[in-house]
Amino acid sequence: MAKIKPSKGAPYARILGVGGYRPTRVVPNEVILETIDSSDEWIRSRSGIETRHWAGPEETVAAMSIEAAGKAIADSGIDADRIGAVVVSTVSHFSQTPAVATEIADKLGTDKAAAFDISAGCAGFGYGLTLAKGMVVEGSAEYVLVIGVERLSDLTDLEDRATAFLFGDGAGAVVVGPSQEPAIGPTVWGSEGDKAGTIKQTVPWDRFHVGDVSELPLDSAGNIKFPAITQEGQAVFRWAVFEMAKVAQQALDAAGISSDDLDVFIPHQANVRIIDSMVKTLKLPEHVTVARDIRTTGNTSAASIPLAMERLLATGEAKSGDTALVIGFGAGLVYAATVVTLP
């Protein structure tokens, strides 16, 4: 029996560079209030959101990804043709095939990099980061580009009082490469499919394909509504606050550190009340910088963690070499948490 030659990768992996892109249009709560019965004070108190970015016609999923990825590659100090794989997490690229990652890989100038999309909702960045770490250590790619990108404005029902104010658009990216010391900890991830109905698409695409529009939702003008994201807000809130704090603690334990060792906490930017509750449950010390990018960016699903990371580093609230706990959680219900060294 022939013996297969073992893979030769790096001892460890790390994030080498980060980049972000926010669409040029800034949308204040006042615009949202044109279609729902609410108030600016209610939106801020319930979510922490003051503004969000919505993409224009030219700011496609691919275009935003390329902008963010270009910054991440420049920040990493490597050339694009050394990227061996491109992983894109998104739920808002509406072409089933080919994967948008292939277009991005080509336009960035990679040398025929492996490229694929994943669908893991708001935990997508953590899933992509874990896959990238595995590729670098296993040796199938020396450098991996991980992108979280969403145009959730395309999947927002502006007449849904529970979700109309939540979502924003944008892209965040990181380059993962070799390291001589641990810089991406073990990932604690999983799913709870029995709760999948708490965050979902209102109408499956095949309802349009078969031509049966008799039960499709209508807007206030009687027009058929495009599929949108809906959620059971209270159920999601309770799950995120109580269960995800446990997952975050498990990630700290897996990395062999305590909350006292942390410099930065970067949770998925779902809701500022969820973030504040997790900080309290985890008993994070005062010195830990907490990302609250949601205030001006909204919930950008898979893009939220890298966008928040990029902003903290750009503003100086976090610095290179800091130890950060990152955790994403969302539709599925899925989750992923790990400890990283910031680039």
Side-chain angles (χ1 to χ4, degrees):
M1 181 181 294
K3 291 185 177 181
I4 297 174
K5 184 178 180 180
S7 301
K8 291 184 178 181
Y12 306 103
R14 68 182 300 120
I15 299 174
L16 300 174
V18 61
Y21 179 81
R22 293 171 173 81
T24 56
R25 183 187 178 192
V26 177
V27 179
N29 289 337
E30 285 73 19
V31 171
I32 307 299
L33 297 175
E34 295 174 2
T35 52
I36 61 171
D37 180 17
S38 188
S39 68
D40 178 62
E41 189 279 330
W42 187 88
I43 293 174
R44 291 180 187 234
S45 65
R46 299 290 291 183
S47 68
I49 299 173
E50 302 168 10
T51 60
R52 73 284 291 147
H53 296 256
W54 282 356
E58 302 302 317
E59 292 169 314
T60 64
V61 165
M64 292 190 294
S65 297
I66 290 166
E67 289 289 335
K71 294 175 184 178
I73 293 170
D75 192 44
S76 73
I78 68 166
D79 294 328
D81 61 6
R82 299 185 69 186
I83 299 290
V86 177
V87 183
V88 177
S89 178
T90 185
V91 299
S92 49
H93 176 61
F94 296 145
S95 180
Q96 190 70 39
T97 191
V100 71
T102 59
E103 176 185 349
I104 294 166
D106 177 63
K107 290 186 176 179
L108 286 172
T110 67
D111 184 15
K112 300 180 180 179
F116 58 95
D117 299 349
I118 59 174
S119 177
C122 305
F125 175 75
Y127 276 49
L129 185 64
T130 302
L131 293 172
K133 172 188 173 183
M135 283 185 268
V136 171
V137 173
E138 186 270 342
S140 58
E142 185 179 13
Y143 298 99
V144 180
L145 177 65
V146 180
I147 301 169
V149 56
E150 302 291 3
R151 272 183 57 118
L152 293 182
S153 58
D154 291 335
L155 288 168
T156 299
D157 180 354
L158 293 177
E159 295 182 344
D160 180 0
R161 189 173 184 272
T163 60
F165 59 89
L166 281 176
F167 302 120
D169 303 336
V174 298
V175 173
V176 177
S179 174
Q180 293 303 309
E181 59 184 29
I184 301 175
T187 300
V188 177
W189 57 352
S191 66
E192 297 185 35
D194 59 318
K195 301 179 181 66
T198 56
I199 305 174
K200 62 182 181 180
Q201 184 172 307
T202 53
V203 182
W205 300 114
D206 62 0
R207 290 288 298 279
F208 292 84
H209 174 68
V210 298
D212 179 12
V213 298
S214 61
E215 297 182 7
L216 292 176
L218 304 178
D219 63 21
S220 57
N223 300 311
I224 295 173
K225 286 186 177 181
F226 192 73
I229 297 173
T230 185
Q231 68 176 23
E232 298 175 14
Q234 288 300 316
V236 173
F237 182 86
R238 288 193 298 270
W239 175 76
V241 168
F242 296 108
E243 298 304 320
M244 292 305 97
K246 298 176 185 177
V247 171
Q249 183 61 55
Q250 291 169 10
L252 290 174
D253 296 341
I257 67 173
S258 70
S259 58
D260 291 334
D261 300 314
L262 279 181
D263 301 302
V264 185
F265 179 43
I266 312 178
H268 163 51
Q269 303 294 292
N271 181 306
V272 77
R273 293 167 61 219
I274 291 175
I275 294 170
D276 291 344
S277 295
M278 292 181 71
V279 168
K280 183 177 180 180
T281 302
L282 290 167
K283 298 179 181 179
L284 296 185
E286 288 291 327
H287 74 264
V288 176
T289 297
V290 179
R292 292 185 177 87
D293 191 46
I294 189 172
R295 297 189 187 280
T296 57
T297 306
N299 180 341
T300 57
S301 188
S304 77
I305 289 175
L307 277 174
M309 182 184 295
E310 184 261 354
R311 174 161 282 174
L312 289 176
L313 289 167
T315 60
E317 296 172 83
K319 62 183 185 299
S320 174
D322 279 353
T323 299
L325 169 63
V326 299
I327 178 170
F329 45 86
L333 295 170
V334 296
Y335 55 88
T338 189
V339 175
V340 303
T341 301
L342 294 183

